[in-house]
Amino acid sequence: MNKLILTLILFLFSIISFAQMKCTIKGKIINRESKNILLRKCSEGYKLFMNNPTKIPIKNGQFNYTFSIKTVEAFELIFEDEFENGTWVPTLFFSTNGVIQFVLNPKDQSNKNTVIGGDLNMAYTNYQSVNKTAFEKAKSVLMGIQKDLVETDEYESDEFKEVLKKLRATQSGDHDAKVPIYNKMEELEKTYARYTEKAKTLFALPYDSLMNVELKWKYEYIQNNISIVGYYLIWRDVEMQMKKKQLVAQLVAEVFPLYQKKYPDHIYTKLIETQLAGQQTITIGGKYIDFKAPTISTGDSIQLSKVIQNQIALIDFWGSWCGPCIAKSRLVVPIYEQYKDKGFKIVGIAREFGNTAEVKNRLSKEQFTWLNLVDLDDKLNIWNKYGISNGTGLMVLVDKDGTILAIDPKPEELKKILQDKLN
């Protein structure tokens, strides 16, 4: 009995101690105009962060702030004036139960910033240093080649220059015009048609090869130095790169089980598991993920599968804040009108934050007459389940039996599929 009581006391003490972890961040600001610095937890999406940012006042070039931490993870410091201007260089650090000291330089000298305090910040600094030693020289050589090719007008192909000319001719914020242009640019980038043959040979292919070598080195480092630093690096790749780069998916699959086992309850484990499940499931030939969400108009809860059963359906992930998403949705309006009475449905799922005022206002201006559902503040976790937590929308075309026919189909591709399936 005494042993049981002692175990219980130790357990309760560990919970209390963990709950009382405090991280103090303080530092010196050099030649900055901002009155505040913003604190962001990296695992928190920017939209949620923007709704209620933590502002730390800067007084006489100094700041000092203490906050409670339940989980040791990565954070960012962002200067408020830069954030409001839409371009900022964040300073990354890892929380610790103690003090972290910063020296933050002007934006153009942010590579000289220092972060001192805690083993994880030391480990991250070491990772950056080793990486720089291994790859900076080779990158510098390739950047020099790129600069020379640009200066002699031998870098971009004539086809890509024409696309750029069209892009520059569009009005700022005109996403209707920009989306097809961006699609074309992405296609040219993937096939190396962006470059002249000389640029492709001297720069593009060697650079991509070097990036792959660096990726493999990075994951070998992550595997040999297991810590929250490595876990953060994995999570960021899952969020930002894995969907577009097969090598990242392969490397993540190899190393993630090690971290999953070591940190089963960490926030990165949960986030990565959700993203992996979504990205592995949402593939052509796979099955869509069913969900229930309220309608934007009435708030009534609707089950997706009941709405789209025995129909060819386009599930449209969008938001009032996402200009490119809205532009893509506009492109399918005429296709919807043509096929809506022939067995084709569209269901929108808007990712909104705070309230639904903005999305209702947007719908009043658009011709999105299909059913629109909403996930407010990611409470239903729908975008994350589809592996697009950091994405700018997604379109998933589903057959009558729930099989995924296409992902982000272009209008002409969508129309061709519907012609074959419904005519």
Side-chain angles (χ1 to χ4, degrees), residues 98-258:
V99 179
I100 304 173
Q101 295 184 319
F102 299 79
V103 175
L104 303 181
N105 294 280
K107 185 178 179 181
D108 60 354
Q109 299 176 41
S110 58
N111 61 322
K112 297 179 181 179
N113 292 350
T114 61
V115 182
I116 299 173
D119 293 341
L120 291 178
N121 290 308
M122 185 183 299
Y124 185 63
T125 299
N126 181 68
Y127 163 77
Q128 291 177 304
S129 177
V130 175
N131 176 271
K132 184 177 179 180
T133 300
F135 296 100
E136 184 178 41
K137 185 175 180 181
K139 286 181 182 178
S140 179
V141 170
L142 285 172
M143 291 302 103
I145 292 172
Q146 181 192 44
K147 182 180 178 182
D148 291 341
L149 289 167
V150 170
E151 288 178 350
T152 57
D153 197 24
E154 298 176 283
Y155 184 63
E156 291 168 339
S157 66
D158 290 339
E159 185 178 9
F160 192 79
K161 289 176 183 175
E162 284 300 313
V163 176
L164 276 181
K165 190 182 296 183
K166 291 180 181 178
L167 181 63
R168 294 189 186 107
T170 62
Q171 296 293 321
S172 176
D174 185 359
H175 295 289
D176 287 3
K178 290 180 185 292
V179 163
I181 296 174
Y182 286 140
N183 288 339
K184 182 63 176 179
M185 291 173 71
E186 184 179 358
E187 177 188 326
L188 294 175
E189 185 84 44
K190 285 181 178 178
T191 59
Y192 292 98
R194 170 183 178 175
Y195 309 99
T196 64
E197 280 301 316
K198 185 175 182 180
K200 177 181 173 181
T201 301
L202 295 181
F203 172 74
L205 290 174
Y207 184 81
D208 283 357
S209 178
L210 179 62
M211 292 302 97
N212 287 339
V213 171
E214 183 178 15
L215 259 177
K216 291 175 182 177
W217 172 90
K218 175 182 177 180
Y219 275 83
E220 184 177 347
Y221 187 96
I222 288 171
Q223 184 169 344
N224 293 332
N225 298 272
I226 295 179
S227 75
I228 296 301
V229 171
Y231 219 1
Y232 165 78
L233 295 172
I234 297 169
W235 170 69
R236 287 302 295 168
D237 280 351
V238 170
E239 290 275 307
M240 304 299 294
Q241 292 197 67
M242 194 175 77
K243 192 175 179 181
K244 296 181 179 179
K245 198 171 179 67
Q246 181 58 39
L247 179 57
V248 173
Q250 175 190 325
L251 294 169
V252 167
E254 291 172 0
V255 76
F256 175 57
L258 299 174

Side-chain angles (χ1 to χ4, degrees), residues 243-304:
K243 192 175 179 181
K244 296 181 179 179
K245 198 171 179 67
Q246 181 58 39
L247 179 57
V248 173
Q250 175 190 325
L251 294 169
V252 167
E254 291 172 0
V255 76
F256 175 57
L258 299 174
Y259 281 78
Q260 188 180 32
K261 182 178 180 181
K262 185 174 177 64
Y263 304 107
D265 299 320
H266 197 277
I267 182 64
Y268 295 154
T269 302
K270 297 172 185 176
L271 293 172
I272 293 172
E273 286 174 344
T274 301
Q275 284 286 91
L276 288 178
Q279 293 189 23
Q280 291 167 359
T281 301
I282 306 305
T283 58
I284 294 175
K287 298 290 184 178
Y288 77 96
I289 300 171
D290 197 12
F291 57 82
K292 181 184 283 188
T295 66
I296 293 173
S297 57
T298 66
D300 295 331
S301 190
I302 301 291
Q303 190 79 37
L304 176 66

Side-chain angles (χ1 to χ4, degrees), residues 3-70:
K3 186 176 181 180
L4 179 62
I5 293 173
L6 179 60
T7 302
L8 181 60
I9 291 172
L10 289 173
F11 175 70
L12 292 172
F13 179 76
S14 67
I15 293 176
I16 293 169
S17 298
F18 190 69
Q20 290 179 341
M21 285 202 303
K22 300 285 186 180
C23 181
T24 296
I25 54 175
K26 60 182 181 179
K28 180 180 180 182
I29 310 295
I30 300 175
N31 295 331
R32 292 272 196 167
E33 299 294 328
S34 189
K35 295 180 180 179
N36 296 298
I37 195 165
L38 309 180
L39 174 67
R40 173 181 173 258
K41 186 188 298 183
C42 292
S43 60
E44 177 184 48
Y46 273 107
K47 281 292 175 181
L48 284 174
F49 163 70
M50 288 168 65
N51 281 347
N52 189 28
T54 298
K55 295 186 179 184
I56 304 170
I58 300 171
K59 297 180 179 179
N60 300 318
Q62 306 278 335
F63 69 92
N64 192 321
Y65 183 74
T66 299
F67 59 101
S68 299
I69 52 173
K70 293 182 179 180

Side-chain angles (χ1 to χ4, degrees), residues 340-360:
K340 67 180 182 180
D341 297 324
K342 298 180 180 181
F344 175 53
K345 278 191 176 292
I346 297 179
V347 177
I349 175 68
R351 187 188 198 189
E352 297 296 313
F353 301 89
N355 56 60
T356 58
E358 286 296 326
V359 72
K360 287 179 178 177

